[in-house]
Amino acid sequence: MIPKVSVIIPVYNSSKYISKCCRSLFGQSLDSLQFIFVDDGSKDGSLDCVKNILSNYPKRINQVSFIILDRNSGVGTARQAGLKDAKGEYIIYCDSDDWVEALLYEKLYFRAKATNADVVTCGYFVDASDGTRICQTSSLVNIDSFSFSISPQTGALWTKLIRRRFLEETGLKVPLNINWGEDLCLSLEVLLLSRNTQSINEILYHHVLNEASLTYSVSTSQCLDLVQCGSVIEDFLSEHGLTDYYHYQLNWLKFQLKQYLLIFPQTRDIRLWKTIYPECHHDILHYKTMMYLKVSSWLVVHHFPAIALWILRMRDVLSSLKHR
């Protein structure tokens, strides 16, 4: 029997969080599921944690498979390896340090079947380590009005149920040479080519931010990985004759992709930032972004880097005071 949904879970040194993730997955209300855990060279016994939890869910045992990569190859390779093994009518990804509500896959699947959708999205929580929680509902039905945003609402794969046949027909894949932002590339491409995208305005996924996450340990090489996504999307738009239609959206995307070269003190490089995607500078004052970032970016472009740096450093100070 073909599973209704294949859930692909890339795993890398996730033993601290993966037990909660697995309990939420194996406790799903939808019976017909396939779970694919792709171990990307973990050294902390992450898969042993998965197997220990699985022993408490005997009805799920035959639904679970494991792919073990020989070495740490990056999350893009892990995502693609899982996709190759997927047998479900629909596929979805889940990050191994996140967790999901019990009705998530049932609600997404039956909305997809009822509407013959290629993609169904839902809302999500951002759960911070200090106990705070931010909610974001989903509103991605109209492809002509959605933003090329790097936020999870648009850019994350974990809130998007995707018809597997649609991926096969379009040939869309996760880029293998990008390990930070690779999900943004596939997510945007899927949304752009989807013939029918539906949204459930319920919050059913929990994206967990923890101190070990990339957000808190971002490096320059990771920032440059993210920057590459702009070229991937630009090539995609050109291939499908969409460049002119999405010209402004593409420039907005490029601006977002390089912003971490200004935002994070450890990766701040004003000169490098200025050389990347200069075509997006024309509309800086029109972008919907944080005012300090908009002003400092404009100052860098117009040859006032010292003032821009002062603003960015003041932002660092205020941010550190806020988190004391």
Side-chain angles (χ1 to χ4, degrees):
M1 180 183 296
I2 297 175
K4 291 182 171 68
V5 176
S6 293
V7 186
I8 302 167
I9 311 100
V11 179
Y12 180 68
N13 290 346
S14 304
S15 61
K16 187 176 179 180
Y17 304 98
I18 201 168
S19 294
K20 184 171 185 177
C21 176
C22 289
R23 290 189 185 95
S24 71
L25 293 176
F26 300 151
Q28 285 293 295
S29 58
L30 188 65
D31 289 332
S32 181
L33 290 166
Q34 177 190 22
F35 301 99
I36 306 168
F37 291 87
V38 185
D39 186 81
D40 191 21
S42 295
K43 305 296 184 184
D44 67 344
S46 293
L47 289 192
D48 290 334
C49 296
V50 176
K51 293 172 183 177
N52 286 337
I53 298 300
L54 180 59
S55 65
N56 298 314
Y57 297 85
K59 292 183 179 180
R60 295 294 190 190
I61 290 176
N62 291 332
Q63 299 178 351
V64 177
S65 61
F66 299 96
I67 299 174
I68 302 175
L69 303 182
D70 294 336
R71 56 185 175 83
N72 180 230
S73 303
V75 67
T77 298
R79 290 190 193 280
Q80 194 57 36
L83 184 58
K84 288 180 180 178
D85 202 46
K87 303 294 190 298
E89 292 180 65
Y90 287 81
I91 69 101
I92 195 167
Y93 289 90
C94 180
D95 284 358
S96 59
D97 50 357
D98 295 342
W99 62 282
V100 300
E101 296 288 337
L103 293 171
L104 171 61
Y105 301 132
E106 178 181 343
K107 289 196 171 187
L108 290 176
Y109 176 77
F110 283 108
R111 173 63 66 85
K113 296 297 286 185
T115 61
N116 194 30
D118 288 325
V119 185
V120 183
T121 74
C122 70
Y124 61 92
F125 286 112
V126 177
D127 294 351
S129 56
D130 63 2
T132 58
R133 175 174 287 173
I134 301 170
C135 64
Q136 177 65 64
T137 56
S138 181
S139 57
L140 292 174
V141 174
N142 189 345
I143 191 64
D144 292 322
S145 63
F146 92 93
S147 170
F148 280 26
S149 171
I150 65 172
S151 70
Q153 185 180 23
T154 300
L157 289 169
W158 28 257
T159 55
K160 297 176 182 68
L161 187 77
I162 307 169
R163 195 199 308 264
R164 183 168 60 88
R165 191 175 71 237
F166 165 75
L167 289 176
E168 293 172 347
E169 291 171 351
T170 58
L172 296 179
K173 297 179 180 178
V174 179
L176 301 182
N177 61 333
I178 298 176
N179 289 313
W180 202 39
E182 82 297 328
D183 53 343
L184 169 67
C185 295
L186 179 57
S187 183
L188 267 176
E189 291 172 359
V190 162
L191 291 171
L192 286 165
L193 292 190
S194 172
R195 294 155 296 196
N196 182 2
T197 298
Q198 296 288 319
S199 292
I200 295 177
N201 285 313
E202 294 184 55
I203 302 171
L204 299 169
Y205 190 95
H206 293 259
H207 178 51
V208 179
L209 294 182
N210 58 77
E211 293 180 358
S213 71
L214 286 173
T215 306
Y216 294 93
S217 59
V218 62
S219 67
T220 300
S221 64
Q222 289 165 340
C223 288
L224 294 178
D225 247 14
L226 189 61
V227 164
Q228 287 187 63
C229 296
S231 298
V232 171
I233 297 301
E234 185 169 31
D235 290 344
F236 172 84
L237 292 175
S238 176
E239 179 185 348
H240 291 86
L242 299 171
T243 303
D244 291 341
Y245 188 82
Y246 288 111
H247 175 75
Y248 177 84
Q249 290 273 43
L250 178 61
N251 282 340
W252 161 228
L253 175 68
K254 289 176 177 178
F255 177 80
Q256 295 172 85
L257 292 173
K258 67 175 188 169
Q259 67 182 347
Y260 297 121
L261 291 170
L262 293 184
I263 291 175
F264 295 127
Q266 71 270 26
T267 59
R268 188 167 293 148
D269 189 329
I270 286 178
R271 290 182 180 179
L272 178 58
W273 179 92
K274 189 175 181 180
T275 64
I276 295 172
Y277 299 140
E279 63 270 22
C280 76
H281 295 164
H282 177 74
D283 292 310
I284 282 176
L285 295 180
H286 297 99
Y287 296 143
K288 293 181 179 180
T289 190
M290 295 168 286
M291 183 57 67
Y292 89 92
L293 186 59
K294 185 181 297 191
V295 172
S296 57
S297 299
W298 186 92
L299 289 168
V300 171
V301 171
H302 291 84
H303 313 295
F304 297 102
I307 302 175
L309 188 58
W310 181 86
I311 292 173
L312 293 168
R313 286 174 175 169
M314 287 300 99
R315 173 70 179 187
D316 297 341
V317 171
L318 293 173
S319 180
S320 64
L321 291 174
K322 180 179 178 181
H323 290 93
R324 279 186 178 178

